[in-house]
Amino acid sequence: MRNGRHKTVVVAGGAGFLGSHLCDALLAEGMQVLCLDSFLTGRRQNIQHLARDPRFDVVESDVCDPMPAAVARARPDAVFNLACAASPPHYQANPEHTLLTCVLGTRHLLRLAEDAGARFLQASTSEVYGDPEMHPQREDYRGCVSPTGPRACYDEGKRAAETLAFDYARAGRADVRVARIFNTYGPRMRADDGRVVSNVVSQALAGEDITLYGDGRQTRSFCYVDDLIAGLLRLGAEDVRPPGPVNLGNPEELRVAALVQRVLALTGSPSKVVQRPLPVDDPQRRRPDIALARALLDWQPRTDLDSGLRATIAWFERDLCWQQAVRPPANDDGVQEAPLMLGLRGAR
Ligand code: NAD
C-alpha cells in the first residue's frame, strides 16, 4: 500500500502470454494492475478471469500512440513494458510497427515512469545476442545481430529499447531494470505463434506432421512461465539494484530434436517429423548464463522440462478444444471436422 492505496502497476502487453501471467502474479501480491494492450497478439481470454477483480483494469491502446489519459492519471508505482509481438511470424508481419513499438512505445512508457517517479522494467530478449559467438551468453556479451535481416526489426528494436532505457537511467530520469528473457513456454501461448514449443505441442495434439526446422541439432533453453514471472517480479522489486541488464532463462540446454521427442512421448502422438529449411538468421545455440540473476535476485528456474511440458500440453488440449468449438474448420468439401485430440500420456 502507498498512502492508504494499493500500489499501482502498469503492465503494457498485459493481455499477452507473459503479460497475463504477470498480471495474475501482481494481483496475487496485492497490487492494483492496469493492463495497457492493443490486442495485436494478446487475447481477451488470457485476462477474462480478471474482469471482475476491482483491482484490475484494461485500457486498449497502442503504445506507439500518445499515452491515454486514464493511464497517465494512474500515476503508477511501477511500469512493466512487455508490449511487443514476440514470435517471428507476428513481429515480421509489420516490421515497421514492431520497430516503432520497441522504440517509440518504450519512450512513451519511460516518460510515463519518469512523470510518476515509477520503477520501469523493460522486457528485453536473448535476441539481442543474435546468433551468438559466446556460449553460454553472459550479459556483457555484445551480440552478433544482423541489422538488415528479417529479424532485425525485433532484435535491433529491442537493442534500441535497452539503449533508451539506460539513457534514462544514466540521466536519473527513471529507475530502470532490463530483463533479457530467454525462450519461455507455458499455458496461454498461442498455437499459431510459430514458436517451437507451441508449434510442436499443437501439431502433436492434432496428429499433424511436426515441422522440424533444420536438422534439429540447434539448441534452445526453455524456461517455464511461472519461473520466468518469479524472476521478473524479483527484478522489478524496490530493493534490487541491478548493475545492468539481467538474463532470465533456464540454463539447461536442449536440442530442438530432443524437445520434439519429449513432446511425442508425453502426448503419445503418432505424428511424423518433417524437416524444413532453417529460417534466415536463426540462432544455432542459445543458453543463458544466469550467474548474475542467481547472485542479485537469488533466483533460478525450478520447473523441470517434463512438468512444464505436461502443464503446457494440458492447457493446449483445452485451448484447441475451445477454439474448435468457436471456429470449426472445414475440410476440402466444406464439411466441418473435429480434430484428432490426443491425451496427455501418464499425466492424468
Ligand atoms: P505476446 O505476443 O503474447 O505478448 C505481447 C503483448 O503485447 C500482446 O498482448 C500484444 O497485443 C501486445 N502488444 C504488441 N504490440 C503492442 C503495441 N504496439 N501496443 C500495445 N500492445 C502491444 O508475447 P510474449 O511472449 O508474452 O512476450 C512479452 C514480452 O516479452 C515481449 O516484449 C517479448 O519481446 C518479451 N520476450 C518474450 C519471450 C518469450 O519466450 N515469450 C522471450 C524474450 C522476450
Side-chain angles (χ1 to χ4, degrees):
M1 302 278 271
R2 187 171 77 169
N3 303 330
R5 68 172 178 92
H6 293 284
K7 286 196 173 174
T8 301
V9 181
V10 168
V11 181
F17 161 49
L18 296 182
S20 61
H21 286 279
L22 180 64
C23 290
D24 288 346
L26 289 164
L27 288 165
E29 291 207 335
M31 309 287 172
Q32 182 99 29
V33 174
L34 188 50
C35 164
L36 170 65
D37 205 299
S38 64
F39 293 94
L40 179 70
T41 52
R43 298 196 293 185
R44 287 177 205 282
Q45 72 189 81
N46 288 345
I47 50 171
Q48 73 188 11
H49 60 289
L50 304 175
R52 287 171 194 274
D53 191 322
R55 286 183 291 114
F56 183 74
D57 258 317
V58 186
V59 174
E60 184 170 347
S61 179
D62 192 308
V63 294
C64 299
D65 295 335
M67 200 54 64
V71 182
R73 267 198 315 268
R75 298 204 55 81
D77 301 279
V79 176
F80 284 73
N81 180 17
L82 281 77
C84 187
S87 78
H90 289 158
Y91 70 64
Q92 289 170 2
N94 186 345
E96 183 180 359
H97 182 256
T98 301
L99 190 65
L100 288 175
T101 295
C102 290
V103 180
L104 193 54
T106 300
R107 181 188 193 214
H108 287 149
L109 290 157
L110 276 163
R111 286 190 164 179
L112 173 72
E114 179 182 24
D115 291 346
R119 293 190 300 289
F120 177 86
L121 186 141
Q122 170 67 11
S124 188
T125 169
S126 56
E127 303 292 341
V128 300
Y129 300 124
D131 192 0
E133 309 110 317
M134 176 196 250
H135 203 74
Q137 292 84 51
R138 257 195 350 239
E139 288 86 348
D140 56 2
Y141 173 55
R142 293 183 181 179
C144 176
V145 175
S146 160
T148 54
R151 300 170 77 103
C153 58
Y154 182 76
D155 301 4
E156 295 288 21
K158 288 287 185 175
R159 286 167 70 96
E162 287 198 15
T163 305
L164 199 56
F166 285 111
D167 280 333
Y168 269 65
R170 257 188 300 278
R173 297 173 67 181
D175 176 357
V176 160
R177 293 102 200 276
V178 171
R180 288 188 178 156
I181 302 170
F182 284 65
N183 287 55
T184 302
Y185 71 99
R188 301 186 195 155
M189 293 186 91
R190 285 172 55 146
D192 65 350
D193 76 3
R195 289 188 258 192
V196 58
V197 174
S198 46
N199 271 0
V200 174
V201 169
S202 53
Q203 288 170 337
L205 285 176
E208 293 167 0
D209 287 350
I210 293 184
T211 324
L212 180 65
Y213 293 100
D215 60 8
R217 281 191 295 180
Q218 69 274 26
T219 67
R220 294 291 182 273
S221 305
F222 298 103
C223 185
Y224 187 61
V225 61
D226 290 359
D227 291 332
L228 193 275
I229 297 299
L232 285 183
L233 288 180
R234 273 299 297 139
L235 183 57
E238 221 164 333
D239 59 323
V240 172
R241 295 275 169 273
V246 180
N247 287 340
L248 292 180
N250 193 325
E252 208 172 294
E253 190 177 357
L254 192 74
R255 289 191 167 165
V256 171
L259 173 84
V260 170
Q261 291 312 317
R262 280 319 299 150
V263 172
L264 287 174
L266 290 170
T267 52
S269 170
S271 292
K272 293 197 303 289
V273 178
V274 177
Q275 286 195 5
R276 293 270 179 277
L278 214 53
V280 179
D281 293 339
D282 203 53
Q284 274 303 308
R285 296 186 77 184
R286 264 302 159 64
R287 180 179 157 208
D289 180 320
I290 59 163
L292 178 59
R294 281 199 173 102
L296 182 77
L297 313 174
D298 190 22
W299 174 88
Q300 62 181 15
R302 308 214 170 272
T303 312
D304 62 81
L305 183 71
D306 274 12
S307 310
L309 283 179
R310 282 196 177 99
T312 308
I313 290 166
W315 185 85
F316 265 89
E317 280 186 291
R318 287 196 301 275
D319 190 53
L320 291 173
C321 282
W322 182 86
Q323 285 187 31
Q324 213 58 43
V326 178
R327 258 183 294 119
N331 66 14
D332 290 346
D333 306 323
V335 177
Q336 288 174 343
E337 291 181 317
L340 166 62
M341 293 299 297
L342 295 149
L344 187 62
R345 184 180 277 180
R348 283 177 301 186

